[in-house]
Amino acid sequence: MTEQQRLELEAATFRALLQHLRTRSDVQNIDLMNLAGFCRNCLSKWYKAAADEQGLEVSVDQAREMVYGMPYADWKAKYQTEASAEQKAAFEQGKH
């Protein structure tokens, strides 16, 4: 496999992950954090960091919109729910 083929496969995999997360708006970020240790916001931060490393201007809002498929404020208003006490406790437990 060439380096270009590897990059194309990784890019396709990342796009598939984003599409999957966009269709699973029922899965809250806190659930992702509790189970996997990362969430949509983490992905947007990693995206921005990669852009910064390449000297590309990408704002936090642009990175979030790329990950969420819509402005972050719109996603929060449409899909985000209040975290339960159990979710918050699991999040705090996972920090240690």
Side-chain angles (χ1 to χ4, degrees), residues 19-65:
Q19 184 57 40
H20 180 74
L21 290 173
R22 289 173 185 165
T23 61
R24 289 301 312 267
S25 56
D26 60 310
V27 178
Q28 297 294 302
N29 281 332
I30 195 164
D31 295 323
L32 291 169
M33 287 297 295
N34 288 342
L35 292 172
F38 77 97
C39 68
R40 294 170 182 89
N41 289 327
C42 297
L43 288 172
S44 67
K45 289 176 185 176
W46 299 337
Y47 185 88
K48 178 168 178 15
D52 290 347
E53 285 178 14
Q54 293 190 23
L56 301 171
E57 288 193 33
V58 174
S59 71
V60 171
D61 288 338
Q62 288 171 322
R64 283 181 170 171
E65 186 166 342

Side-chain angles (χ1 to χ4, degrees), residues 3 5 9 12-13 15-17 25 30 35-36 40-41 54 63 69-70 75 84 88 92 94 96:
E3 178 69 10
Q5 289 169 323
L9 289 174
T13 302
R15 287 189 298 270
L17 171 62
S25 56
I30 195 164
L35 292 172
R40 294 170 182 89
N41 289 327
Q54 293 190 23
M70 65 180 68
W75 191 92
S84 70
K88 291 176 184 178
E92 289 302 317
H96 305 297

